[in-house]
Amino acid sequence: MPDTEVRTAIDALRADFRARLAAATTDRDLDALDAAFLSRKNGSVTALLKQVGTVPPDERREFGRLVNAFKTEIESAIEEKRGAVAATRRPAGAIDPTLGSRPIPIGRIHPLMRVRQEVEDIFARMGYEILEGPEVEDDYHNFEALNMPPDHPARDMQDTLYLGVPIAGGTWGAHRGRVPEAQVRAATLLRTHTSAMQIRYMKTFPPPIRLIVPGRVYRRDQLDLSHTPMFQQFEGLVVGRGITLADLKGTFEAMLRDLFGDVRVRLRPSFFPYTEPSAEVDISCQSCGGSGCGTCKHTGWLEILGSGMVHPAVFEAVGYDPDEVTGFAFGMGMERVAMLKYGVDDIRLFYENDLRFLEQFPL
Amino acid sequence: MRILLSWLRELVDIPDSAEDVARTMSTRGFAVEGIETVGTGDAVIDFEVTANRPDCLSVGGMAREVATAYGVKLRTRGPGASPSGSRGGPKGPAPRSSALQITIENPDLCPRYVGAVADVELRPSPTWMQTRLEAAGIRPISNIVDVTNYVLLELGQPMHAFDHARLAGPEIRVRTARPGETLRTLDGQLRTLSPEMLVIADAERATAVAGVMGGGNSEVSAATKTIVLESAYFNPLSVRRTSKKLGLKTEASVRFERGADPATAVNAMRRALALIEMIGAGRARGGVIDRYPARIKPGVLRLRREKIAGLLGTAIPDRDVRRMLERLGFTLAPAPGGWRVAVPTRRVDVRREVDVIEEVARHYGFDRLPTTFPALTTAPPPVDPRIQRARDLRSALTAAGFFEAVTFGFIAERAAAPFAGEGDLVPIANPLSELFAVLRPSLLPGLMDAVAHNRRREQRDVRLFELGARFMRSTGERQAVGCVWTGAGAPEHWSGSGRPVDFFDIQAVAERVCQALGVEVHTTPADERWLMPGRAAAVFANGTRVGVVGQLAESIADDHGLPGNDPVYAAEIDLDALPPAAARRAVRVEPLPRFPSVVRDISILVDEALPATDVRATIRDAAPPTLVRVSEFDRYQGKGIPPDKVSLSLRLTFRSSDRTLTDAEVQDAMTRVIAALKEKNGAVQR
Ligand SMILES: [Zn+2]
């Protein structure tokens, strides 16, 4: 074997060695590598040395120097790698951080209450007072004072659940330091809307008013995809000198954009006995961007709340002078908002309290 | 109200498609429930007419709105107009006199009654008439019945035809029902009438319930040769009460109870007679008899410019106001600051100035109104502590692993009964079903159902809470928070740290609820029908009972479909019974301790039945004020402990705020504590 051939053979072995060294990550890999090249029996460097007989005598000395230098190179490279492998070895008592952590249980706020808190916050920023009222009411506050005297056809619009026995309704506004419009009348029905609080509030406090009343309301509706016999509403009431329908428009645009993002808002004339003029408020459909789809019944708009200018008869019932003050009122269903905001198509999901549903909402 | 587009087009000249008309009218207050194409190039638009607009329950009424919306003229048509526009009308010799007598005994309930007699021959009505009725959803019956329905659709005036031969003479009496009087109505039902109900009678008996439904005894049939036609105006409230009481709602009753137009009654009669002649169904005999004893005058309202702008937030030009209102049929006369507006009698919804302003706003277009913001003129309002309380509880309980639930305010009586005393439940008078029969006396039954729902869906570990009202006769409506917990107390983990929930977990939840509201509470053993005996406790704050915690009784769990082998723990706190949270906001910081504390442990044997709270009380009473804390750290029963006894280990911490305590004084305190435990609680030191 001439000198040039020896160098070629060593270069080939070196390339192989370097590749295998780079791939080695454990002591066992390195032991195997050591054996493959340096073992007395079948190491490839040992095998090369054994070929000394084929080398011309005057080149044998040089041959020995080259092969031995290569052998030393391998030994020190393996040694160096052993140090590197040792440095990465886990210390005694090391934990396995890839195991599962110990859970810290955490619950969620109900989606309807998320919506409620969000809406409360929007109106609180606009300077509204937020109050809760009784859920059981009397006919006067729920209907009569809201321009729905007995036998008024509009009472049919809200199928009422009546109590078998009259009871005392819940208290409200105790923190306001005066006796709020007293619970003189026993409650005889489940309130069909939070509007009853309009009357209680106006009878207790003078204008100006900015008020939000969130709470549960009840109607005699069968359970289906879009109805539940109990649901959650926000009542809003703004009263003062010079409050206009344009103010109502501006307020809803601000509130609905805060709640739904970049939507268009429109008002449509409608009818409620306690407001005049009355308006349904729609937002542009976010599913189709207003071009029409199944969600919006191909109109491009989604009804979101009912509203209007407070009817003078309501002002008269609470002792306000309709020539002095005007105002607007509205009612918005929390379920409706939550369904649109979160893409829920069955209202019953809000009342089943299925953890697989509830845990989809963020902390 | 289903409106046929081609019929509408006869009355108003509109170029738009059904879709465009629907869109335009929905911005004028008539939401559209659907559009159906019929035949070629025709459509039925289903308008939602709000309860205040009975005048729009007809093609003519809607046409007036459409004409105003589009700014076009409403075509006026004579009584004899045919659908194609050609004029029919009475021909031939003058008819015989009808000799019909009309007597109104109750003008307050029937201010106007228009009657006429016609000789007829019953046959099917012509196809064009049938097509129009069917488009509106009305089944054609015979030429005479169809004519009354056609007029109803066209003008909104309900009409009725009696068989003249079946009446006791040519006489109509409008009177209230006699006591016990009965009538078989056209739907075949025998109705017992009450004396406040208005009826149409002949000389002897009732033949129709006024404004609601006719009677079988005077029904027109194939044999009918002469009819008496009725076109009346009945008192809305009277019709509404009668309809409600009889449980009978008809096309006629709906219109009368919302308010028909007394002015239309005669026109409708003329139109009906003309149609009868035009389609060859017969001829009027004699003229139209109009009895109008209680004349209804059009209302006159003032309309002030300043009020229009004040309510809408923008001034609307005078000529726009005038144009829109006049198109709708209002008559305007100038008056100081605005106008005097005469309201047509059909507009029962317009009773005040604001109602007129609404008409202006509606047709001016809500979309053209500016958007402004109400001026803020008062200081920020106070925060309702209830709102804040709900938020504090949500934070505390979700942090404790609880999911918020919302359940219904009414539940089944069986589920409610264990939670209220005898007769304390509040029943619902007209419940939807047995499942919603009573107001909930507790939030827990609803929460248990929610737990059961989750258990049936492979959720073993369930923690739920709800905030809301509960109701009892004795206490009325009160706010509460309820919590239920089943499955793991500590969640399963590979380290083995998981364990099932137990009493002390739910007790901690009750305490956390009160702590979140700044209230210190303690628990004592209690009995509750719905909790397992020996696993129930009452929660007290300042000596007042504010709630209950414990393990659900098996029978209750069973009733809610919960598996008996996994205990369910529950807690309920009466939020209205807790002291106001105001104190929680007034925080005063104590200086930090400057001297070290000394800790001493003791182990004692006491009776198993002795409450731990007694042991702690003995220690507190016996120890000097330097005892700052005492807590149990071990409790043991079993090997080496006599039966009925328990080994209790307690840790006592002493500290003074002004010096380092000496061993001697702590030892002295411990000696006194041990002596007291021996004396008062029969404790033996181990
Ligand atoms: Zn859409």
Side-chain angles (χ1 to χ4, degrees):
Chain A
M1 183 189 269
D3 188 42
T4 52
E5 244 175 77
V6 171
R7 285 175 195 275
T8 311
I10 287 175
D11 283 347
L13 280 176
R14 182 182 282 119
D16 181 34
F17 171 74
R18 288 288 166 190
R20 290 169 72 176
L21 184 71
T25 56
T26 64
D27 279 334
R28 269 176 62 186
D29 295 345
L30 293 170
D31 290 346
L33 195 57
D34 190 288
F37 284 86
L38 304 178
S39 147
R40 278 165 200 264
K41 260 189 168 172
N42 46 15
S44 44
V45 177
T46 316
L48 186 61
L49 265 178
K50 281 178 185 159
Q51 294 191 32
V52 72
T54 66
V55 177
D58 59 329
E59 290 176 20
R60 280 189 188 159
R61 191 183 172 83
E62 181 60 9
F63 173 81
R65 198 187 60 79
L66 280 173
V67 177
N68 277 316
F70 179 51
K71 192 176 164 189
T72 310
E73 180 191 332
I74 287 179
E75 280 166 352
S76 61
I78 287 177
E79 213 42 49
E80 193 185 327
K81 183 80 186 221
R82 280 195 198 279
V85 166
T88 65
R89 196 179 299 134
R90 289 146 50 87
I95 54 91
D96 175 2
T98 65
L99 277 168
S101 61
R102 183 172 293 117
I104 303 172
I106 180 93
R108 302 290 197 289
I109 293 177
H110 192 279
L112 293 176
M113 298 303 124
R114 282 178 72 85
V115 164
R116 173 171 161 164
Q117 293 191 170
E118 199 176 335
V119 174
E120 284 176 3
D121 290 346
I122 293 170
F123 281 105
R125 285 202 302 276
M126 294 199 274
Y128 283 63
E129 177 164 8
I130 299 158
L131 270 182
E132 286 187 347
E135 286 177 27
V136 288
E137 267 295 356
D138 53 71
D139 190 90
Y140 174 78
H141 289 97
N142 195 75
F143 290 119
E144 202 172 333
L146 287 162
N147 198 27
M148 282 182 280
D151 286 312
H152 193 286
R155 287 191 177 205
D156 293 352
M157 288 159 67
Q158 302 177 358
D159 218 343
T160 311
L161 286 159
Y162 291 93
L163 305 185
V165 290
I167 61 166
T171 57
W172 65 274
H175 65 291
R176 292 293 303 259
R178 61 175 99 184
V179 182
E181 211 251 311
Q183 300 282 336
V184 271
R185 290 165 236 252
T188 54
L189 52 85
L190 283 158
R191 65 175 170 189
T192 56
H193 48 193
T194 38
S195 310
M197 268 298 280
Q198 286 187 24
I199 304 303
R200 292 188 178 276
Y201 192 91
M202 286 193 280
K203 284 200 138 185
T204 311
F205 302 107
I209 293 169
R210 291 167 183 242
L211 175 68
I212 294 292
V213 183
R216 298 167 183 240
V217 301
Y218 301 82
R219 305 234 178 123
R220 208 168 175 282
D221 280 334
Q222 296 287 353
L223 270 171
D224 63 31
L225 274 174
S226 48
H227 295 89
T228 46
M230 182 191 89
F231 54 99
Q232 323 267 330
Q233 225 179 26
F234 295 100
E235 188 71 16
L237 178 69
V238 175
V239 180
R241 282 176 186 276
I243 300 293
T244 68
L245 192 58
D247 291 333
L248 174 155
K249 240 179 123 174
T251 301
F252 291 154
E253 280 189 9
M255 183 268 286
L256 292 168
R257 285 195 184 140
D258 204 328
L259 199 54
F260 289 103
D262 190 22
V263 290
R264 280 168 294 129
V265 175
R266 81 167 179 183
L267 266 61
R268 273 184 298 114
S270 186
F271 167 64
F272 305 106
Y274 33 96
T275 51
E276 187 78 26
S278 303
E280 298 278 4
V281 179
D282 298 342
I283 54 169
S284 53
C285 177
Q286 285 167 304
S287 310
C288 62
S291 58
C293 69
T295 308
C296 57
K297 292 185 195 151
H298 306 282
T299 61
W301 295 95
L302 297 161
E303 199 175 304
I304 194 76
L305 62 90
S307 66
M309 301 303 292
V310 178
H311 198 289
V314 175
F315 282 147
E316 284 159 10
V318 299
Y320 285 11
D321 181 352
D323 265 343
E324 288 294 312
V325 293
T326 50
F328 64 81
F330 65 92
M332 180 165 79
M334 295 184 209
E335 285 83 354
R336 178 82 176 143
V337 174
M339 287 172 92
L340 293 177
K341 229 176 130 65
Y342 305 134
V344 177
D345 54 10
D346 183 346
I347 196 172
R348 291 170 295 195
L349 277 171
F350 294 119
Y351 293 98
E352 282 174 354
N353 302 298
D354 194 314
L355 293 177
R356 299 167 303 174
F357 173 68
L358 298 176
E359 69 194 3
Q360 291 184 43
F361 296 89
L363 295 180
Chain B
M1 181 74 206
R2 294 166 57 88
I3 302 282
L4 190 65
L5 188 61
S6 56
W7 198 349
L8 193 64
R9 285 215 165 105
E10 270 176 32
L11 303 174
V12 275
D13 194 10
I14 37 167
D16 282 2
S17 68
E19 285 72 20
D20 290 329
V21 173
R23 202 169 305 128
T24 302
M25 295 318 290
S26 70
T27 66
R28 297 297 196 273
F30 300 91
V32 170
E33 303 202 314
I35 300 171
E36 245 172 72
T37 46
V38 289
T40 44
D42 207 353
V44 172
I45 309 176
D46 194 356
F47 289 107
E48 195 181 304
V49 176
T50 51
N52 60 328
R53 293 301 304 275
D55 63 300
C56 286
L57 292 172
S58 66
V59 182
M62 276 309 300
R64 191 174 292 106
E65 283 289 337
V66 172
T68 310
Y70 280 84
V72 297
K73 265 204 149 75
L74 186 66
R75 287 194 193 111
T76 47
R77 323 182 79 222
S82 74
S84 54
S86 69
R87 285 180 163 265
K91 293 179 189 79
R96 294 178 286 158
S97 156
S98 72
L100 181 67
Q101 293 287 316
I102 297 174
T103 313
I104 301 175
E105 290 185 10
N106 308 77
D108 52 329
L109 304 186
C110 176
R112 187 173 206 177
Y113 195 99
V114 178
V117 175
D119 296 309
V120 298
E121 190 180 334
L122 262 82
R123 277 198 305 253
S125 61
T127 317
W128 63 263
M129 187 175 271
Q130 295 198 12
T131 309
R132 288 194 167 185
L133 293 180
E134 279 169 341
I138 294 179
R139 193 165 52 91
I141 293 168
S142 65
N143 48 8
I144 296 306
V145 177
D146 291 359
V147 162
T148 62
N149 283 330
Y150 189 88
V151 173
L152 174 83
L153 287 178
E154 189 177 54
L155 303 174
Q157 172 68 44
M159 298 194 70
H160 185 66
F162 301 91
D163 185 336
H164 191 285
R166 297 175 70 186
L167 296 176
E171 184 178 355
I172 291 287
R173 298 192 76 83
V174 186
R175 58 163 173 84
T176 48
R178 298 195 176 109
E181 192 166 10
T182 58
L183 174 67
R184 191 173 296 281
T185 42
L186 286 175
D187 56 1
Q189 298 264 348
L190 186 66
R191 312 266 177 185
T192 303
L193 308 172
S194 47
E196 77 280 3
M197 293 179 181
L198 192 71
V199 298
I200 311 302
D202 57 20
E204 289 160 11
R205 56 199 177 135
T207 58
V209 183
V212 181
M213 193 176 266
N217 56 15
S218 59
E219 185 178 5
V220 294
S221 65
T224 303
K225 294 282 175 244
T226 308
I227 57 167
V228 175
L229 265 180
E230 163 195 299
S231 175
Y233 174 81
F234 299 112
N235 177 296
L237 197 54
S238 163
V239 173
R240 177 172 163 77
R241 285 183 176 156
T242 301
S243 155
K244 264 204 131 169
K245 198 156 181 186
L246 294 178
L248 185 58
K249 216 177 172 113
T250 59
E251 292 276 347
S253 74
V254 164
R255 283 167 173 85
F256 281 126
E257 72 172 48
R258 291 180 185 179
D261 179 15
T264 303
V266 170
N267 300 340
M269 181 60 83
R270 294 221 170 91
R271 176 65 170 151
L273 294 173
L275 281 168
I276 286 172
E277 297 203 9
M278 188 172 78
I279 66 170
R283 290 200 65 176
R285 185 204 293 180
V288 169
I289 301 161
D290 181 13
R291 295 278 176 272
Y292 199 176
R295 191 160 285 275
I296 293 164
K297 292 197 197 95
V300 177
L301 301 169
R302 66 175 172 172
L303 175 61
R304 292 164 290 181
R305 270 180 209 96
E306 170 210 347
K307 283 282 159 188
I308 300 178
L311 205 62
L312 304 184
T314 187
I316 294 179
D318 279 7
R319 78 189 128 73
D320 288 349
V321 171
R322 180 177 277 278
R323 185 178 41 82
M324 290 184 286
L325 290 176
E326 283 178 347
R327 283 244 153 80
L328 289 170
F330 295 86
T331 317
L332 277 70
W339 302 266
R340 291 183 67 74
V341 179
V343 182
T345 47
R346 63 174 170 272
R347 292 304 302 268
V348 293
D349 60 316
V350 180
R351 292 187 180 155
R352 288 174 180 256
E353 188 177 21
V354 278
D355 300 323
V356 184
I357 297 174
E358 179 179 52
E359 293 308 286
V360 173
R362 226 163 37 86
H363 281 291
Y364 179 75
F366 281 13
D367 55 326
R368 289 168 67 197
L369 295 176
T371 51
T372 54
F373 229 65
L376 189 63
T377 55
T378 47
V383 175
D384 185 352
R386 274 171 64 170
I387 304 283
Q388 190 55 47
R389 177 176 72 188
R391 291 182 173 221
D392 293 342
L393 289 175
R394 283 189 195 111
S395 303
L397 286 165
T398 54
F402 281 75
F403 284 76
E404 186 176 17
V406 180
T407 70
F408 292 139
F410 23 56
I411 56 178
E413 189 179 349
R414 182 182 161 83
F419 292 85
E422 187 71 30
D424 211 7
L425 286 177
V426 183
I428 290 173
N430 55 337
L432 266 166
S433 80
E434 292 257 304
L435 289 175
F436 304 138
V438 298
L439 293 186
R440 59 180 179 186
S442 160
L443 308 189
L444 297 174
L447 286 172
M448 288 180 234
D449 285 340
V451 170
H453 171 96
N454 280 291
R455 293 293 304 241
R456 285 194 294 270
R457 284 160 186 80
E458 303 174 342
Q459 306 281 322
R460 278 204 67 239
D461 303 336
V462 186
R463 303 182 201 190
L464 293 171
F465 76 97
E466 181 172 12
L467 290 162
R470 52 182 190 170
F471 311 83
M472 275 181 264
R473 285 178 79 164
S474 55
T475 50
E477 173 184 350
R478 290 173 80 87
Q479 295 293 315
V481 56
C483 307
V484 288
W485 190 343
T486 188
E492 200 170 78
H493 188 244
W494 54 263
S495 65
S497 60
R499 57 165 181 79
V501 57
D502 65 23
F503 176 86
F504 302 99
D505 288 317
I506 195 74
Q507 184 188 25
V509 171
E511 285 168 3
R512 172 59 50 84
V513 162
C514 297
Q515 201 179 19
L517 302 176
V519 179
E520 282 293 324
V521 290
H522 69 276
T523 41
T524 60
D527 277 324
E528 279 296 336
R529 261 194 293 170
W530 48 277
L531 289 176
M532 190 176 270
R535 296 282 178 93
V539 181
F540 282 88
N542 300 336
T544 308
R545 187 176 151 130
V546 297
V548 187
V549 291
Q551 181 181 344
L552 224 54
E554 241 170 86
S555 59
I556 301 281
D558 255 17
D559 259 10
H560 288 269
L562 288 161
N565 46 353
D566 267 347
V568 179
Y569 289 90
E572 188 165 40
I573 304 288
D574 179 348
L575 293 172
D576 287 344
L578 291 178
R584 203 168 135 257
R585 304 195 162 260
V587 176
R588 300 293 304 167
V589 171
E590 295 273 328
L592 302 182
R594 290 167 56 213
F595 299 95
S597 54
V598 180
V599 174
R600 288 282 188 277
D601 292 348
I602 49 165
S603 286
I604 51 171
L605 276 184
V606 288
D607 280 350
E608 183 195 33
L610 182 70
T613 181
D614 290 9
V615 174
R616 282 198 299 269
T618 304
I619 294 174
R620 283 218 177 82
D621 288 350
T626 51
L627 176 72
V628 292
R629 195 176 129 85
V630 51
S631 62
E632 303 86 19
F633 69 89
D634 189 39
R635 188 177 189 274
Y636 176 71
Q637 280 179 293
K639 207 175 165 206
I641 306 294
D644 319 332
K645 294 281 178 187
V646 61
S647 162
L648 208 56
S649 299
L650 297 120
R651 180 158 296 159
L652 284 66
T653 307
F654 297 89
R655 190 170 56 227
S656 165
S657 60
D658 55 13
R659 70 207 145 84
T660 303
L661 295 175
T662 64
D663 262 5
E665 59 185 319
V666 173
Q667 196 47 54
D668 180 49
M670 286 305 290
T671 309
R672 272 186 281 152
V673 162
I674 290 161
L677 285 170
K678 201 170 287 178
E679 194 200 333
K680 285 191 186 159
N681 303 121
V684 178
Q685 194 182 1
R686 292 187 75 207

